[in-house]
């Protein structure tokens, strides 16, 4: 443990003396700062010599930690020393960063001083101090004395604090701002929070409008329940039946999550709008009145069901697969029939999956922006209201902040209900014991119910997607259906003359989108699964709060997080706007919860005896994680990677404020074209993105492969 | 530990990877994507300045400029309705450029005067409505010609317009009717039209598109959007209301505190020049350019043939007027219900 502390102290000191403390002009990787140690590449030490004495604190803390390690102290005293040095150093570092800004200091503490955004040196020093502190905590015996566990907790807490709480604080403070710029106060907060315009129930009682909070809640519950049921039906078909075209069905279930926003909505309008194909068909057949029913809660719900069922499926398939056949066989040996086995054995063991799938569907629906925008009609939900409170004709940041809070409360509520429902039961079914049974197939009733639910849905998905592909090859979708390749040419033309030139208008955003998605996906999966590991496998104080804090960023609507990031990261100490980093960060922290949820669901099934066996055999917790748990987590890793990769490509509301001229994203390109009524090129681009993502997902699946839980996974005939 | 550490380090070090910036101009554009791209391309060819362009709606740009105040990441804001440009000018988010506007049309010069040189007019878009000829014939409805026609009971559930709380287009319509008929009479007409409205959309251009596709029979919006749809082959006709109509002023503004002021000035001068504005026709831009020498399309609406009101941008662009009118709209028009399907 002393070695760990020493390593970090030395690393920190190296960062303090050698690396540029502030953001190096021209970028760190250009290494232009190496040649300019007095200016651009000035380390903290050089800066102190130049008069920025406030940087001294962090350096002293690192030195103190090194002295503590080398001095002949008792184990406990040494641990305390590390903890104090680490925490004090971090406090001083954060304090100076928040106090001294680009122009002058807060409260005139230091007079007329200035500093730029923190750079490589500051980052290394901060990490070193953090790990010194967590090593100290573990040496005190917390986290079972495991430096890896405390370090991981410390790192994730720090990351969530800096990239979720810090920016959110900027927005939530706005909730207390008074009208007319009269400063902050609570006098208007409660009346506005409970205002009837948010909570009105008038639509249930007759004429009038329901408040967006009520609308959002009803829609989210409907979507959560619907996606979970459909997802379960698909998962059961995959694991408990001998259905023939599983591979094909699998592709169909992935398609909707890899669809850029607006596209599903547009396809639904062409099918079910007042002049849609299906509407015309039924109108001719039955003489029904052509109505605009699609532009209501039902249209939004339909689109959300199409979009989010795959997420429920991805969570559930791992869990349903993981339910041990031995349990089912035991039940059948005890003379239960297949329905009883399913109802009283399999289904209860799937609870973590069901709960997590519902929670994801619920939150996704709350935060969904594209579908309500296109199909909402007069049905207002919180996410669109928040967006227009920020960008509408009268900007009202306070309203946006208050509505965001309502959204957060709803998420918190759903999260607590989920916890209550799961309770303190044990769902572990994957143990180290011999487990070579076979899954009980569904009883005929259940089987046909699943088929009846899932197959028409799959057919519907197929129709929607055929329509989308069709739309990209015709001149004017819905009117002039003569074949053309023009849309693809305009977006993706390549000229081979004196080399290869990517002249199509979509190439720029296409490449930068793929790059950013490819960088953010593994990071998201790593952070998400590491968090899940801590939550399921480790015990530490404040675990409940920790769990909820990791879920927060998911519940915050993208628009709010986008604005929060601009407000927080446009100025020192952390200056990131206009870079690709801010896009990567926003994706990592927004999509992390999916990794966490999927990881928790999968890990709850792995029996602790596996870890214990590994630890008993002399492995430390890191080795156990790497050699025992990770290989059993294949589907969860795949889900996390897939989801974060895809979301980085398809999310729109969060990136609207963060895309910059140099780093444009595919979705903002598509939205621009849709707004301009150029559906052809938008859909052509969307089709190319879908194909790209599908290829990436299949590649990931091939790379990660399936986990081998048993010698054979089979379903009894 | 190293896996997490390495990803953290990779993340951290990536933070410094992108900071390299040569002399260049960052433009945020609120026009149509194709027009944004074409202008940037032409500007680069003609001036040699390296342009990075991103498209955002005016509301998004305004929110971003406010959040980035003091340390802006964009240099120029080009296009979109004029009201947010005027608000940005009043809030000190943009700066005067001293560009020579003497050769421009009168309304563009007024805009510059009103904002003390901070916003320069680049185009005018006229307000009107559009109807789908097929649906109108199918339902056997008369062709609407005036604002008052839209209030007739026969159009119940057939009219679509944006919500002025979210859309600048709809606010222009609201302010136009108030200026045409006076405030009380204007609101009475709005609530009568409201009884026929099937949906208050969030986006300003949505009603026009919905009419083109037959999702609504009549849509209210800007005429240049309608010309484009008609030319694309949708079965629609465009109506300039008989009582007269209002308009939006598109503008270009230079962001306060930009490090690339010289290049930004070049951009402003370029987008108000005839050679800068004329290529718009290639990508279907049918609004009225501010430079009288710029080419226009014969099918596009022009200011001479349409009866126009003297739109008072100073009064109706001011925040107090806006908040008051929108609050009244919320209670008198939306609150009154209508033919809305919930």
């Amino acid at each position: 443990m002393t070695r760990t502390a020493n390593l970090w102290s030395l690393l920190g000191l190296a960062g303090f003396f050698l690396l540029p403390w502030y953001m190096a002009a021209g970028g760190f990787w250009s290494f232009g700062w190496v040649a300019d140690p007095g200016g651009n590449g000035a380390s903290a030490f050089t800066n102190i010599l130049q008069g920025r004495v406030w940087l001294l604190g962090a350096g002293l803390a690192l030195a103190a930690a090194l002295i503590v390690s080398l001095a002949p102290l008792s184990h406990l005293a040494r641990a305390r020393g590390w903890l104090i040095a680490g925490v004090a150093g971090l406090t001083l570092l954060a304090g100076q960063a928040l106090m001294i800004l680009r122009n002058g200091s807060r409260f005139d503490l230091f007079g007329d001083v200035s500093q730029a955004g923190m750079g490589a040196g500051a980052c290394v020093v901060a990490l070193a101090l953090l790990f010194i502190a967590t090593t100290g905590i573990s040496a005190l015996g917390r986290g079972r004395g495991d430096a890896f566990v405390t370090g991981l907790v410390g790192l994730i807490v720090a990351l969530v604090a800096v990239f979720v709480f810090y920016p959110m604080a900027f927005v939530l403070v706005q909730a207390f701002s008074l009208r007319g710029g009269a400063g902050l106060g609570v006098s208007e907060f409660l009346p506005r929070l409970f205002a009837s315009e948010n909570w009105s129930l008038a639509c249930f009682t007759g004429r009038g409008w329901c408040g967006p909070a009520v609308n959002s809640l009803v829609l989210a519950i409907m979507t959560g329940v619907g996606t979970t049921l459909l997802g379960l039906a698909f998962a059961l078909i995959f694991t408990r039946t001998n259905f023939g075209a599983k591979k094909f069905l699998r592709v169909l279930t992935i398609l909707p999550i890899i669809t850029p926003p607006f596209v599903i909505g547009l396809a639904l309008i062409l099918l079910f709008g007042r002049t849609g194909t299906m509407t015309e068909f039924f109108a001719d057949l039955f003489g029904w009145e052509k109505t605009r029913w699609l532009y209501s809660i039902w249209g939004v719900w339909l689109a959300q069901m199409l979009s989010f069922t795959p997420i429920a499926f991805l969570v559930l398939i791992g869990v349903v697969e993981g339910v041990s056949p031995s349990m089912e066989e035991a039940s059948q040996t005890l003379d239960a029939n297949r329905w009883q086995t399913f109802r009283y054995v399999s289904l209860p063991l799937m609870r973590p999956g069901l709960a997590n799938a519902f929670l994801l569907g619920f939150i996704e629906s709350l935060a969904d922006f594209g579908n309500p925008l296109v199909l909402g009609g007069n049905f207002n939900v919180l996410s669109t209201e928040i967006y227009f409170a920020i960008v509408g004709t009268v900007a009202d940041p306070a309203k946006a902040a208050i509505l965001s809070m309502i959204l957060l409360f709803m998420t918190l509520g759903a999260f607590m209900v989920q916890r209550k429902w799961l309770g303190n039961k044990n769902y572990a079914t994957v143990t180290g014991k011999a487990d070579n049974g076979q899954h009980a197939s569904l009883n005929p009733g259940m089987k046909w119910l699943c088929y009846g639910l899932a197959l028409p849905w799959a057919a519907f998905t197929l129709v929607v997607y055929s329509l989308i592909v069709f739309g990209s090859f015709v001149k004017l979708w819905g009117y002039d259906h003569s074949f053309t390749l023009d849309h693809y040419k305009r977006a993706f033309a390549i000229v081979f003359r004196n080399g290869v030139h990517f002249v199509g208008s979509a190439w720029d955003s296409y490449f930068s989108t793929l790059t950013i998605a490819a960088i953010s996906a593994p990071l998201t999966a790593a952070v998400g699964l590491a968090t899940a590991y801590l939550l399921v496998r480790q015990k530490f104080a404040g675990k409940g709060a920790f769990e909820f804090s990791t879920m927060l960023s998911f519940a915050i609507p993208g628009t709010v997080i986008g604005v929060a990031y601009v407000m927080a990261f446009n100025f020192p100490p952390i200056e990131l706007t206009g870079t690709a980093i801010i896009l990567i960060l926003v994706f990592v922290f927004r999509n992390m919860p999916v990794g966490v949820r999927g990881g928790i669901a999968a890990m709850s099934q792995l029996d602790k005896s596996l870890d214990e066996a590994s630890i008993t055999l002399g492995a430390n917790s890191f080795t156990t994680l790497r050699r025992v748990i990770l290989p059993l987590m294949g589907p969860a890793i795949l889900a996390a990677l897939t989801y974060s990769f895809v979301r980085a490509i398809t999310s729109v509301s969060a990136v609207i404020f963060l895309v910059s001229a140099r780093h444009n994203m595919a979705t903002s390109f598509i939205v621009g074209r849709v707004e301009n009524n150029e559906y052809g090129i938008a859909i052509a681009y969307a089709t190319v993105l879908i194909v790209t993502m599908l290829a990436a997902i299949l590649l990931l699946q091939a790379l990660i492969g399936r986990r081998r839980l048993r010698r054979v996974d089979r379903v009894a005939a | 530990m190293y896996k997490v550490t390495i990803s953290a380090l990779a993340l951290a070090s990536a933070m410094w990877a992108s900071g390299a910036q040569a002399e260049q101009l960052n433009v945020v554009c609120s026009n149509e994507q194709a027009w944004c791209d074409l202008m940037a391309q032409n500007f680069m060819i003609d001036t040699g300045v390296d342009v990075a362009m991103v498209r955002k709606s005016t509301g998004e740009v305004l929110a971003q400029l406010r959040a980035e105040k003091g340390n802006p990441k964009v240099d120029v804001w080009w296009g979109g309705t004029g009201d947010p440009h005027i608000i940005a000018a009043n809030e000190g988010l943009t700066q005067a450029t001293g560009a020579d506007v003497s050769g421009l049309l009168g309304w563009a010069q007024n805009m510059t005067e009103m904002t003390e040189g901070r916003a320069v007019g680049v185009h005018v878009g006229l307000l009107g409505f559009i109807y789908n000829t097929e649906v109108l014939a199918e339902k056997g409805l008369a062709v609407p010609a005036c604002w008052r026609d839209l209030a007739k009971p026969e159009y119940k559930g057939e009219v679509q317009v944006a919500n002025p709380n979210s859309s600048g287009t709809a606010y222009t319509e609201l302010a136009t009717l108030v200026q045409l008929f006076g405030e009380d009479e204007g609101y009475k007409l709005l609530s009568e039209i409201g009884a026929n409205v099937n949906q208050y959309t969030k986006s300003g251009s949505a009603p026009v598109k919905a009419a083109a596709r037959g999702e609504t029979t009549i849509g209210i919006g800007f005429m240049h959007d309608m010309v484009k749809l008609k030319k694309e082959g949708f079965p629609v006709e465009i109506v300039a209301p008989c009582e007269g109509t209002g308009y939006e002023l598109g503008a270009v503004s230079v962001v306060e505190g930009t490090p690339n002021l010289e290049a930004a000035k070049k951009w402003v001068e370029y987008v108000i020049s005839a050679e800068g504005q004329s290529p718009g026709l290639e990508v279907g831009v049918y609004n009225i350019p501010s430079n009288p020498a710029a080419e226009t399309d014969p099918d596009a609406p022009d200011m001479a043939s349409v009866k126009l009101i003297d739109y008072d941008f100073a009064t109706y662009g001011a925040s107090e007027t806006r908040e008051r009118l929108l609050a009244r709209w919320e209670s008198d028009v939306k609150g009154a219900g209508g033919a809305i399907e919930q």
Side-chain angles (χ1 to χ4, degrees), chain B residues 275-286:
Chain B
E275 60 165 333
Q277 292 184 348
S278 295
L281 290 180
E282 297 167 23
V283 285
V285 176
Y286 297 111

Side-chain angles (χ1 to χ4, degrees), chain A residues 303-368:
Chain A
Q304 288 193 341
M305 289 287 290
L306 272 171
S307 313
F308 305 140
T309 297
I311 297 165
F313 169 73
L314 280 180
V315 171
L316 280 164
I317 180 90
V319 175
V320 171
E321 214 174 38
V323 170
S324 168
S326 306
M327 306 261 186
E328 295 176 349
E329 282 183 346
S331 155
Q332 289 185 318
T333 311
L334 294 170
D335 216 17
N337 63 25
R338 283 192 291 192
W339 164 248
Q340 285 169 322
T341 303
F342 178 76
R343 171 68 187 79
Y344 296 105
V345 177
S346 315
L347 199 60
L349 284 170
M350 292 170 193
R351 273 190 166 203
L354 294 175
N356 282 305
F358 175 81
L359 191 62
L360 282 179
F362 182 86
I363 296 175
E364 279 276 9
S365 164
L366 280 184
D368 181 26

Side-chain angles (χ1 to χ4, degrees), chain A residues 56-253:
Chain A
L56 199 58
L60 287 179
L62 286 171
L66 199 60
I67 291 167
V68 168
S69 313
L70 300 176
L73 290 170
S74 75
H75 182 75
L76 206 61
R78 196 172 275 176
R80 287 206 183 106
W82 284 329
L83 181 59
I84 292 168
V87 170
L90 278 179
T91 314
L92 288 171
L93 185 75
Q96 61 86 18
L98 292 172
M99 283 322 226
I100 299 165
L101 310 171
R102 179 177 287 280
N103 356 297
S105 54
R106 282 183 218 269
F107 315 120
D108 276 331
L109 273 181
F110 292 86
D112 187 24
V113 289
S114 77
Q115 61 179 351
M118 297 205 288
C123 187
V124 170
V125 169
L127 273 180
L129 287 168
L130 176 70
F131 288 127
I132 289 169
T134 58
T135 309
I137 292 173
S138 70
L140 284 173
R142 296 298 168 85
R144 282 184 270 158
D146 194 328
F148 172 67
V149 171
T150 53
L152 200 54
V153 173
L155 181 67
I156 291 171
V157 167
L159 286 175
V160 169
V162 174
F163 294 113
V164 179
F165 285 91
Y166 174 65
M168 279 317 293
F170 279 82
V171 169
L172 294 184
V173 161
Q174 303 263 5
F176 299 97
S177 61
L178 301 173
R179 277 171 211 270
L184 298 176
V186 287
S187 58
E188 287 177 9
F189 173 66
L190 286 178
R192 295 194 72 178
L193 180 64
F194 294 108
S196 68
E197 61 180 39
N198 296 337
W199 296 97
S200 161
L201 291 167
C203 62
F204 292 111
T205 55
R207 283 180 65 82
W209 310 81
C210 271
V214 177
N215 286 342
S216 275
L217 189 63
V218 171
L219 179 69
I221 291 173
M222 279 166 57
T223 304
V225 171
T227 55
T228 308
L229 283 180
L230 265 178
L232 183 64
F234 275 111
L236 287 175
I237 290 181
F238 271 94
T239 53
R240 300 289 148 85
T241 68
N242 291 316
F243 185 72
K246 281 187 188 173
K247 281 228 167 88
F248 180 66
L249 210 57
R250 176 102 203 187
V251 173
L252 270 190
T253 54

Side-chain angles (χ1 to χ4, degrees), chain A residues 28 119 387 393 477 581 675 677, chain B residues 14 16 60 164 209 213 229:
Chain A
F28 181 79
Y387 177 78
T393 32
W477 201 19
I581 319 295
E675 268 178 31
N677 212 30
Chain B
W16 293 271
E60 287 159 7
K209 285 180 238 166
R213 295 199 167 270
L229 290 168

Side-chain angles (χ1 to χ4, degrees), chain B residues 4-339:
Chain B
V4 180
T5 316
I6 285 176
S7 27
L9 283 177
L11 185 76
S13 50
M15 284 167 60
W16 293 271
S18 47
Q21 275 174 7
E23 250 307 286
Q24 58 184 246
L25 186 65
N26 292 304
V27 180
V28 56
C29 171
S30 301
N31 287 322
E32 292 132 22
Q33 183 83 49
W35 185 209
C36 296
D37 292 342
L38 184 67
M39 183 63 93
Q41 190 190 326
N42 288 343
F43 179 74
M44 281 196 272
I45 293 169
D46 288 343
T47 63
V49 177
D50 182 21
V51 177
M53 161 86 70
V54 66
R55 189 204 170 276
K56 294 182 185 188
S57 77
T58 48
E60 287 159 7
V61 179
L62 190 58
Q64 184 180 350
L65 291 186
R66 281 179 177 139
E68 292 183 353
K69 188 176 183 180
N71 191 16
K73 295 293 190 292
V74 291
D75 306 317
V76 184
W77 175 19
W78 173 56
T81 52
D83 283 353
H85 280 271
I86 297 172
I87 294 172
N90 291 340
E91 290 183 10
L93 298 171
T94 52
Q95 59 176 313
T97 50
D100 177 21
V101 295
S102 57
L104 300 184
L105 293 168
W107 48 263
Q109 298 191 26
N110 289 347
M111 175 118 190
T112 313
E113 203 173 306
M114 191 164 52
T115 57
E116 292 163 351
R118 291 193 170 99
V120 178
V122 289
H123 69 247
V124 160
L126 308 182
L127 197 66
F129 44 87
I130 185 173
Y131 62 90
N132 187 304
T133 50
E134 286 176 6
V135 183
L136 200 78
E138 192 184 312
K139 302 228 165 201
L141 296 170
V143 172
C146 307
W147 290 115
R148 285 201 187 277
D149 288 348
L150 299 184
K152 289 180 183 165
E154 58 187 282
Y155 296 116
K156 192 165 183 65
E158 305 297 338
V159 182
Q160 199 170 95
V161 62
N163 184 330
N165 279 309
S166 60
S167 146
T169 310
Y171 178 76
T172 308
E173 182 235 16
L174 168 68
T176 297
L177 290 192
V178 167
Q179 290 173 72
L180 256 177
F181 300 103
E183 194 165 324
D184 290 334
E185 185 66 14
Y187 272 100
K188 190 161 159 279
L189 182 60
L190 274 167
S191 79
E192 281 165 17
I193 295 176
N196 292 338
V197 167
N198 54 41
Q199 181 184 344
Y200 289 110
T201 63
K202 294 176 179 77
S203 148
S205 62
V208 176
K209 285 180 238 166
R213 295 199 167 270
E215 295 296 307
T216 180
T217 315
I218 302 166
I220 301 175
F222 285 120
M223 288 198 218
H224 49 261
D225 293 336
M226 302 171 187
V227 176
K228 187 150 185 276
L229 290 168
K230 196 179 168 187
K231 290 205 175 215
E232 278 171 13
F234 288 104
V236 289
E237 284 303 330
I238 303 162
V239 180
C242 68
E243 295 100 334
T245 193
Y247 48 91
E248 55 138 359
L249 286 183
V252 59
S253 302
V254 173
V255 180
E256 175 71 43
T258 162
N260 304 319
L261 187 58
E262 282 314 306
K265 278 183 181 165
K266 276 189 202 158
W267 177 272
V268 172
E269 281 158 14
Y270 191 79
V271 297
I272 58 175
S273 70
E275 60 165 333
Q277 292 184 348
S278 295
L281 290 180
E282 297 167 23
V283 285
V285 176
Y286 297 111
N287 48 32
I288 301 159
S290 64
N291 194 311
E295 289 164 36
T296 52
D297 189 277
D299 293 340
D302 64 86
M303 295 181 92
S305 63
V306 174
K307 194 170 157 193
L308 289 180
I309 63 168
D310 186 14
Y311 196 102
D312 183 354
F313 285 98
T315 307
Y316 290 92
S319 295
E320 309 85 68
T321 323
R322 265 167 187 272
E323 278 172 33
R324 188 174 57 78
L325 290 181
L326 287 173
R328 185 160 177 194
W329 183 84
E330 200 68 45
S331 62
D332 286 17
V333 181
K334 196 182 174 199

